[in-house]
């Protein structure tokens, strides 16, 4: 049961209205995206001053210099170099070139769709990446997001899946992560139909998608996040990539953090943290760290003002201190939040780092299998 506030304010009324019209017969499912846009508009003002300040700082070339150098040998040099083609057109061209199958169902709900990206000449048993788009848990669309990363990995011989999932305020937590787990289970059971290796499935996500990808990677088998999946469905992943993700769902130490927790309470979860702390703890990757966490790469922008970059640094330090598997961190200089939405040098730098990390994890897995077979 949802917590009902004692006195509804205009935000509560607006959100209730969006949930109501999204349930209308026939047209309701087409109106769901507007419910998410309404929620983003209501809460976006909390982040506008910080985002504007970060944008000015990037333009002026100021800011912290904490970063991890990026090496780009061989053909990856071209991936980072600039281009005269506008970013939006490059993104559309990437999809036209590498999309193999669109709107594949990974579940019974109309929102449970994914696209398959692959090369037509791909040999069987290619490694697989599932990409989870962001959107503050109120938008979860595969349109535009991650295209530079997907195209780069497809050129390297990967099968890539990019998914839609159910979002708030129409669908409450943990519906989002349950859909991510359903997509992982689908990949484990079906991706060989598209030339993918069911025994190597990595996951990556941006922003809210980074939270969902990381949480799913840390919590395979958690009954709270399985949704309609059967007990034998495999939701484990072989590697995790979090890109400017939100990793802490409990901290209320600053005004910004309190505003974020209020957004989760009213829009995403529908419960107050003070009454249901266990819900927020279970959903927080920072609280779910353990020694058997999959190999993990965290990438963030130096000037991220939406999710302060310190959160990624703290999560990297905490996970690295516990996990028995590799934990890496890369900070993209002068990049802000959502730096990969179009095909810019920041997005290509990110794709290069992800490719290097996942290739190393996949190679290590192959070495282990070879050694075990001898």
């Amino acid at each position: 049961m949802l917590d009902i506030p004692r006195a509804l304010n205009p935000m509560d009324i607006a959100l209730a209205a969006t949930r109501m019209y999204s349930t209308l017969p026939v047209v309701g499912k087409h109106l769901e995206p507007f419910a998410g846009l309404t929620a983003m508009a209501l809460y976006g003002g909390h982040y506008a001053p910080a985002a504007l300040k970060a944008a000015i700082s990037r333009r002026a070339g100021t800011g912290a210099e904490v970063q991890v150098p990026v090496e780009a040998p061989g053909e990856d040099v071209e991936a980072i170099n600039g281009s005269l083609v506008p970013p939006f057109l490059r993104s559309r061209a990437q999809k036209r070139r590498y999309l193999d199958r669109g709107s594949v169902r990974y579940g019974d709900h109309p929102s449970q769709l994914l696209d398959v990206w692959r090369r037509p000449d791909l040999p069987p048993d290619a490694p697989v990446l599932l990409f989870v788009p962001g959107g503050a848990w109120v938008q979860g669309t595969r349109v535009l997001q991650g295209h530079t990363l997907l195209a780069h990995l497809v050129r390297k011989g990967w099968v890539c899946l990019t998914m839609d999932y159910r979002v708030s305020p129409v669908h409450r937590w943990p519906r989002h992560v349950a859909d991510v787990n359903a997509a992982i289970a689908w990949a484990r059971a079906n991706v060989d139909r598209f030339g993918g290796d069911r025994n190597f499935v990595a996951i990556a996500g941006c922003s809210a998608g980074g939270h969902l990808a990381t949480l799913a990677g840390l919590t395979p088998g958690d009954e709270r996040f399985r949704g309609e999946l059967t007990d034998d469905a495999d939701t484990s992943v072989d590697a995790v990539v979090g890109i400017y993700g939100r990793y802490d769902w409990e901290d209320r130490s600053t005004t910004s953090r309190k505003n974020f927790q209020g957004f989760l309470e009213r829009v995403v979860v529908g419960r107050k943290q003070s009454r249901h702390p266990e819900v927020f703890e279970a959903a927080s990757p920072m609280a779910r760290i353990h020694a058997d966490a999959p190999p993990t790469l965290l990438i963030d922008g130096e000037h991220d003002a939406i999710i302060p970059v310190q959160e990624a640094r703290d999560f990297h330090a905490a996970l690295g201190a516990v996990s028995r598997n590799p934990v890496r961190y890369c900070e993209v200089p002068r990049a802000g939040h959502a730096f990969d939405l179009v095909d810019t040098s920041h997005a290509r730098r990110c794709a290069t780092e992800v490719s290097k990390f996942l290739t190393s994890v996949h190679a290590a897995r192959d070495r282990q299998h070879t050694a075990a077979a001898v």
Side-chain angles (χ1 to χ4, degrees):
M1 181 178 296
L2 300 182
D3 293 328
I4 306 299
R6 293 181 180 177
L8 292 178
N9 63 26
M11 282 190 180
D12 297 317
I13 296 171
L15 292 172
T18 62
R19 298 192 72 193
M20 180 188 68
Y21 67 61
S22 296
T23 62
L24 294 173
V26 183
V27 299
K29 64 181 180 180
H30 301 293
L31 297 175
E32 282 191 19
F34 295 99
L37 290 173
T38 300
M40 293 183 78
L42 290 174
Y43 279 87
H46 292 312
Y47 299 100
L52 179 60
K53 181 179 178 180
I56 294 172
S57 179
R58 288 198 301 273
R59 292 284 293 180
T62 61
E65 294 300 328
V66 179
Q67 58 188 259
V68 176
V70 176
E71 298 177 2
E75 65 184 80
D76 286 343
V77 173
E78 183 178 354
I80 295 178
N81 287 339
S83 170
L84 296 178
V85 180
F88 177 72
L89 295 180
R90 287 201 299 271
S91 180
R92 288 175 58 88
Q94 289 164 346
K95 183 175 182 178
R96 285 197 303 268
R97 184 173 182 182
Y98 295 118
L99 178 64
D100 180 75
R101 190 77 59 85
S103 298
V104 177
R105 291 199 174 275
Y106 66 87
D108 295 330
H109 191 273
S111 296
Q112 291 179 307
L113 301 172
L114 57 79
D115 289 346
V116 181
W117 290 41
R118 66 188 295 275
R119 285 188 350 222
D121 60 339
L122 189 70
D125 294 329
V128 178
L129 176 75
L130 171 65
F131 180 79
V132 187
W137 303 273
V138 298
Q139 293 289 317
T141 174
R142 62 200 189 278
V143 176
L144 284 183
Q145 293 196 49
H147 286 191
T148 297
L149 172 60
L150 301 177
H152 185 79
L153 287 174
V154 168
R155 287 195 295 269
K156 296 284 189 179
W158 287 64
V159 172
C160 292
L161 313 172
T162 178
M163 63 177 291
D164 286 359
Y165 52 93
R166 281 171 277 186
V167 294
S168 298
V170 178
H171 304 284
R172 296 294 194 178
W173 181 265
R175 183 69 268 166
H176 321 64
V177 72
D179 281 1
V180 172
N181 279 323
I184 296 170
W186 181 93
R188 289 291 193 189
N190 298 282
V191 77
D192 56 329
R193 291 161 37 197
F194 301 95
D197 181 0
R198 295 190 298 178
N199 295 314
F200 190 90
V201 177
I203 190 169
C206 296
S207 196
H211 163 262
L212 294 171
T214 306
L215 182 64
L218 288 169
T219 60
D222 191 320
E223 293 297 328
R224 291 166 289 189
F225 300 153
R226 293 184 70 84
E228 298 89 0
L229 290 175
T230 58
D231 292 340
D232 60 344
D234 186 358
T235 61
S236 64
V237 295
D238 296 284
V240 172
V241 178
I243 305 172
Y244 51 86
R246 177 70 82 172
Y247 306 112
D248 192 333
W249 266 35
E250 296 185 282
D251 183 14
R252 305 181 73 99
S253 62
T254 66
T255 300
S256 175
R257 294 293 318 185
K258 290 177 182 176
N259 288 335
F260 170 68
Q261 295 301 120
F263 170 79
L264 291 179
E265 290 173 341
R266 289 179 178 272
V267 178
V268 180
V269 180
R271 287 174 167 84
K272 292 186 70 64
Q273 186 180 8
S274 59
R275 296 180 183 177
H276 302 277
E278 74 284 353
V279 174
F280 292 82
E281 179 183 16
S284 179
M286 185 70 82
R288 306 304 299 272
I289 290 171
H290 55 84
D292 294 321
T296 301
L297 170 66
L298 304 173
I299 298 181
D300 214 322
E302 177 190 4
H303 292 279
D304 193 335
I306 305 301
I307 303 175
V309 67
Q310 190 61 45
E311 185 162 327
R313 296 171 186 165
D314 291 344
F315 182 63
H316 166 250
L319 182 60
V322 173
S323 178
R324 288 193 287 260
N325 288 311
V327 180
R328 304 285 184 263
Y329 178 69
C330 174
E331 199 162 295
V332 182
R334 297 189 63 189
H337 198 75
F339 60 77
D340 65 328
L341 287 184
V342 291
D343 184 25
T344 62
S345 60
H346 290 330
R348 294 191 291 277
R349 184 177 289 256
C350 174
T352 299
E353 284 299 300
V354 173
S355 175
K356 288 164 57 180
F357 175 76
L358 291 180
T359 298
S360 69
V361 173
H362 184 242
R365 193 286 305 261
D366 284 349
R367 289 193 298 270
Q368 290 174 353
H369 285 190
T370 300
V374 174

